Amino acid sequence: MVAVRRLARPPIAEAVVNFQVQLRSPLDEELPARLPAEFKAKFPGASQLRRNELSLQFSKAGTRARQDDQLRGYRFENDTGNLVTVFDQQQFVFSHVNRYQSWEALIQDARSAWETYQSALAPAEVTRIGLRYINKCKLELPADSRQLLTTSPTLPEELGLDIGSFLSQITTELPCDALANVLQLLQHEAEASYAIIDVDVYRAGLAVPANSEDLWKTLDSFREWKNKIFFSLVTEKLLESYI
């Protein structure tokens, strides 16, 4: 297994902190006006997230359609789009997109946004804690995927066929009382090919107070396993461009 360490240029396309919540009262359209000026200056881009549902009712008189349009939440982002947070009726999301700096910066920014979410929406408790890292590793092709990834789909040698692309997904239980969804994807784009390694570590069925420090301690333990999984899936050859 490749040693777990800090990379100089990590191939992280997105890092996500996610808390699913129970709110005491419904989210409303006045939310942006209640947010502090400091938050709105940091996240000037705001857009509504809505849920549209169409239902059909059948009777002897005929069929009647009903459309329900509900406000689900708000998405906020900074000027460059690399900091994104979602204040949702059912969840809080914070992301570093493309310009990942460090774990410490991610948690500092996520804490700050979470404090604003708490102040504005007063969640009663957190029911699910999640940490997701989406890595996008550039590949020099043609190459044997076994030289770049420690596990990937294969075809029987007697077929004499190459794999042009693949998608694999597994779910595994972790010793930290959590689950991990691990997705590997070989993706071809116009300018290059990439190995996408998506690791989502989470624990559900919780009732953690929204102001508990256990939220952040749990994320620390998830980070340890996220790192172990990622570095177990790649080779030193793949990491050469990121050291």
Side-chain angles (χ1 to χ4, degrees):
M1 174 177 165
V2 170
V4 176
R5 74 268 202 185
R6 188 184 292 264
L7 300 175
R9 296 174 296 279
I12 298 168
E14 186 172 5
V16 186
V17 171
N18 171 245
F19 298 149
Q20 292 187 4
V21 301
Q22 289 285 347
L23 294 184
R24 292 187 172 91
S25 57
L27 182 148
D28 59 65
E29 297 194 4
E30 301 302 317
L31 172 64
R34 297 198 304 270
L35 299 177
E38 181 180 358
F39 177 88
K40 288 188 281 191
K42 185 174 183 178
F43 297 96
S47 58
Q48 288 188 350
L49 302 174
R50 306 194 70 89
R51 179 183 291 110
N52 292 294
E53 296 181 353
L54 178 66
S55 60
L56 298 176
Q57 296 180 342
F58 300 95
S59 66
K60 292 182 179 180
T63 303
R64 183 172 62 178
R66 176 182 175 183
Q67 187 167 1
D68 189 18
D69 179 32
Q70 295 181 346
L71 177 66
R72 193 185 80 195
Y74 285 88
R75 172 189 169 97
F76 304 96
E77 61 180 62
N78 67 346
D79 285 328
T80 59
N82 68 303
L83 301 181
V84 177
T85 187
V86 173
F87 288 14
D88 188 279
Q89 181 75 30
Q90 298 179 328
Q91 64 178 337
F92 161 84
V93 181
F94 184 86
S95 300
H96 274 188
V97 182
N98 292 326
R99 300 181 186 179
Y100 183 80
Q101 298 177 353
S102 66
W103 169 254
E104 293 77 15
L106 173 68
I107 293 302
Q108 180 180 350
D109 288 342
R111 273 183 178 269
S112 177
W114 174 242
E115 289 171 1
T116 302
Y117 183 96
Q118 282 186 270
S119 178
L121 294 172
E125 60 189 17
V126 174
T127 60
R128 182 186 185 277
I129 302 172
L131 178 68
R132 182 180 182 185
Y133 272 64
I134 303 172
N135 301 273
K136 188 175 182 180
C137 306
K138 189 173 182 180
L139 303 179
E140 297 296 335
L141 296 177
D144 186 340
S145 63
R146 290 171 295 185
Q147 297 177 358
L148 306 172
L149 302 170
T150 58
T151 62
S152 61
T154 60
L155 290 171
E157 290 185 6
E158 58 266 27
L159 291 178
L161 299 175
D162 295 326
I163 294 178
S165 61
F166 63 78
L167 169 65
S168 70
Q169 182 173 352
I170 64 169
T171 299
T172 183
E173 295 185 14
L174 301 177
C176 62
D177 190 25
L179 296 174
N181 291 331
V182 183
L183 181 145
Q184 292 186 89
L185 167 68
L186 179 59
Q187 177 176 299
H188 302 292
E189 299 182 7
E191 76 288 354
S193 295
Y194 297 89
I196 308 299
I197 302 175
D198 181 344
V199 183
D200 184 9
V201 182
Y202 62 94
R203 184 184 300 160
L206 304 175
V208 181
N211 61 353
S212 174
E213 191 65 23
D214 287 343
L215 298 174
W216 309 102
K217 292 178 180 178
T218 300
L219 288 175
D220 275 332
S221 69
F222 287 2
R223 179 204 180 197
E224 178 182 353
W225 275 101
K226 178 271 300 182
N227 283 338
K228 286 181 179 180
I229 292 170
F230 171 76
F231 282 99
S232 73
L233 294 173
V234 299
T235 64
E236 289 289 354
K237 181 175 179 60
L238 180 63
L239 294 179
E240 287 175 355
S241 301
Y242 307 108
I243 297 174

